[in-house]
């Protein structure tokens, strides 16, 4: 099954230049059924194992890779399956009903190529981008800092001397930052105060001098996924690691990855909410109070009705944001933020009601809703907190940048 790649930000290489091919709807529906069966079968076994051990088993990544789940959205010319962004999100919706660490692998690996492709040199395409799409090399998106993280406030700096950059600073909350092969890292050019004073690098995670990797993986949810604190002190980075040109750093980080990734996170919230609703319905039908199924109680039906409407509304907005991104519309960025803002708030309401349907039983780890409830909290800050998303949307509204 092949289709055209989705639009990306402008740069040295535009993914829109790849050849178009017809979309095979029948094959896509077969793929959806396959992924659903995997999520409900082996995926649940993996989820139980991850929760029991606190580790993602080594065999999971190769299995996802061999099934083609890590190369769903990338262009066929780069080794991907070329599924359009809005249709790929239908698959992300399904995957997100599984364990958060499974969703994280599929989400990140299917997204980082968008940041790299428009700016990568031919050598970087062969050495990093294509292996990343194939799932043989792992790239960690490296933006957030302890005292910064929205982009222009970055404090990590890079200084060019000859043909070597020297990196100084600290990054926090870096997913896959411990075990990855490369860091896709953004930094401010030392001494720069301009918006275009940023650079991006594809740095190998291979014991560079002055680079300290601290395992920071003990989290509330998304158990098993590694997270890192990275500290750089005069760390030398060869000029060949520069992704794009000087000044492209924020284009790489914000446009290339974060915009579509916010929409993907929003859809993952929809998928996880659907799983919470499914668990709530199953429990309400199974549990009896005073000789009647819990599901016959009006209060419970109201919870489930509200959840259904909440999920459906959020999903519609996410699909609209995805189509805006595909079409390169001017409102794509605002809809990206709006969809994440709405979807993660929806997820909080749905998982809370789903847990309440379970009563005290839901608080015990032996019930799957407990893990779903914990995992749901992470999406409130993935790819920017809701407070940041509201700033983006609010500014667009008051300046008339959006229409109705």
């Amino acid at each position: 099954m092949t289709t055209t790649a989705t639009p990306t930000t402008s740069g040295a290489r535009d993914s829109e230049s790849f050849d178009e091919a017809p979309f095979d709807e029948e094959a896509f529906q077969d793929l959806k059924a396959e992924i659903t069966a995997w999520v409900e079968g082996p995926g649940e076994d993996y989820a139980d194992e991850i929760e029991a051990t606190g580790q993602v088993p080594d065999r999971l990544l190769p299995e996802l890779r061999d099934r083609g789940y890590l190369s769903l959205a990338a262009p066929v010319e780069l080794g991907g399956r070329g599924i359009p962004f809005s249709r790929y999100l239908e698959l992300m919706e399904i995957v997100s009903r599984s364990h958060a660490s499974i969703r994280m692998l599929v989400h990140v690996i299917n997204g980082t190529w968008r940041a790299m492709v428009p700016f990568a040199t031919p050598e970087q395409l062969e050495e990093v981008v294509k292996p990343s799409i194939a799932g043989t090399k792992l790239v960690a998106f490296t933006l957030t800092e302890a005292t910064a993280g929205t982009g222009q406030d970055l404090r990590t700096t890079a200084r060019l001397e000859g043909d070597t950059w020297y990196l100084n600073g600290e990054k926090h909350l870096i997913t896959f930052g411990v075990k990855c092969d490369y860091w896709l890292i953004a930094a401010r050019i030392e001494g720069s105060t301009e918006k275009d004073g940023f650079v991006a690098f594809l740095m190998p995670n291979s014991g560079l001098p002055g680079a300290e990797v601290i395992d920071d993986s003990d989290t509330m949810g998304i158990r098993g996924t590694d997270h890192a604190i990275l500290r750089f002190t005069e760390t030398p980075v060869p000029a060949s690691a520069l992704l794009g040109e000087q000044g492209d750093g924020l284009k790489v980080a914000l446009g290339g990855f974060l915009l579509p990734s916010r929409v993907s996170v929003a859809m993952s919230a929809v998928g996880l909410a659907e799983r919470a609703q499914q668990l709530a319905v199953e429990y309400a039908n199974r549990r009896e109070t005073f000789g009647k199924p819990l599901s016959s109680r009006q209060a419970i039906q109201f919870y489930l009705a509200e959840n259904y409407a909440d999920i459906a509304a959020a999903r519609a907005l996410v699909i609209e944001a995805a189509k805006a991104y595909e079409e390169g519309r001017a409102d794509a960025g605002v809809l990206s933020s709006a969809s994440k803002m709405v979807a993660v708030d929806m997820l909080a309401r749905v998982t809370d009601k789903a847990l309440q349907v379970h009563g005290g039983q839901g608080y015990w780890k032996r019930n799957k809703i407990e893990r779903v409830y914990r995992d749901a909290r992470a999406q409130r800050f993935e790819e920017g907190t809701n407070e940041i998303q509201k700033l983006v949307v609010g500014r667009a509204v008051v300046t008339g940048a959006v229409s109705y």
Side-chain angles (χ1 to χ4, degrees), residues 9 28 67 79 86 100-101 104 111 114 130 133 166 183 192 217-218 220 223 248 254 260 268 336 344 399 403:
T9 55
F28 180 75
R67 287 179 170 274
S86 60
S101 283
M104 191 67 79
R114 288 191 179 86
K130 288 183 179 179
I133 291 170
Y166 291 90
W183 297 307
S192 172
S217 303
D218 193 14
M220 175 190 294
R223 304 294 293 175
D248 284 342
L254 303 184
S268 74
S336 169
V344 298
T399 60
S403 58

Side-chain angles (χ1 to χ4, degrees), residues 8-9 111-112 114-115 119 250-260 325:
T8 67
T9 55
T112 48
R114 288 191 179 86
F119 302 95
L250 289 187
K251 295 178 185 176
V252 172
L254 303 184
F257 182 75
L258 279 182
L259 193 158
Y325 173 72

